[in-house]
Amino acid sequence: MSDVAIQDEFAYLHFDSEDYDLQHKIGQGGFGSVFKAIHKKTKQTVAIKFLQFATQSAPKHRQQQLARFERESNFVCQLSHPHIVRLLDKGRIDDNTLYSVFEYVDGISLSDYLKQHGALSVAETHAIMLQVLDALVHAHQQGIIHRDIKPSNIMILQTGAKHHIKLLDFGISTLTLGQRA
């Protein structure tokens, strides 16, 4: 069992897991931090997204963030599509820290790709957007609306001669009116 200390802007997070070895931080968002990790039994690389509450967080704020985190994992686990990141596991460390384990996407965000390579050609744009739209159609068929489509939530992987995308971050998704209780 490992004991990895991670400095976050809120506090130190001690993630002691029989299942995962944390490697390093790969992202930071408005409501969590994401770390690259290795699943100990399978040696599979994964991404673990942590939601950690500041100890002085107002109860209403905590409930909103908790609901949003739970909503994201519940929505993603309903989606099975080659262009949508897969949820593999989730859990709670303590009252202040929850986590979700996603497939690790070994690529670059579309926003970083554009910064490095400049504008996409018409053919590249067409190929990438067809994949994004196919993922969105699948989500919409399940009654889920992403609501945060932007270049930083689209990961590009090079698979052979083609770009392959994965859509990330369903944190502010919602259900269509027909799907709401």
Side-chain angles (χ1 to χ4, degrees), residues 65-115:
Q65 294 298 324
L66 177 62
R68 181 177 168 187
F69 197 80
E70 285 293 324
R71 184 174 54 244
E72 177 181 24
S73 62
N74 290 337
F75 286 163
V76 173
C77 75
Q78 293 176 44
L79 303 172
S80 178
H81 191 276
H83 298 300
I84 297 175
V85 68
R86 289 180 300 123
L87 176 72
L88 305 172
D89 193 10
K90 66 180 188 173
R92 178 184 292 263
I93 297 169
D94 55 36
D95 289 341
N96 294 322
T97 311
L98 295 108
Y99 66 93
S100 293
V101 180
F102 294 93
E103 73 176 296
Y104 177 73
V105 180
D106 191 13
I108 183 172
S109 71
L110 179 56
S111 73
D112 287 342
Y113 186 89
L114 292 170
K115 288 175 191 169

Side-chain angles (χ1 to χ4, degrees), residues 120-179:
L120 298 171
S121 70
V122 172
E124 288 175 309
T125 302
H126 181 259
I128 289 170
M129 289 313 298
L130 281 178
Q131 295 175 64
V132 171
L133 293 171
D134 192 45
L136 291 173
V137 165
H138 175 73
H140 292 178
Q141 288 171 338
Q142 307 307 311
I144 299 168
I145 301 170
H146 189 284
R147 295 196 322 171
D148 198 18
I149 299 299
K150 59 187 178 186
S152 61
N153 286 339
I154 299 169
M155 292 293 288
I156 299 176
L157 301 83
Q158 192 70 34
T159 55
K162 296 183 178 182
H163 291 304
H164 180 83
I165 70 99
K166 287 280 186 174
L167 188 56
L168 310 175
D169 199 353
F170 281 74
I172 64 169
S173 297
T174 190
L175 294 172
T176 59
L177 289 175
Q179 296 290 324

Side-chain angles (χ1 to χ4, degrees), residues 52-69:
Q52 185 178 23
F53 300 109
T55 52
Q56 71 275 13
S57 290
K60 183 178 179 180
H61 178 72
R62 289 171 70 98
Q63 283 304 100
Q64 290 171 336
Q65 294 298 324
L66 177 62
R68 181 177 168 187
F69 197 80

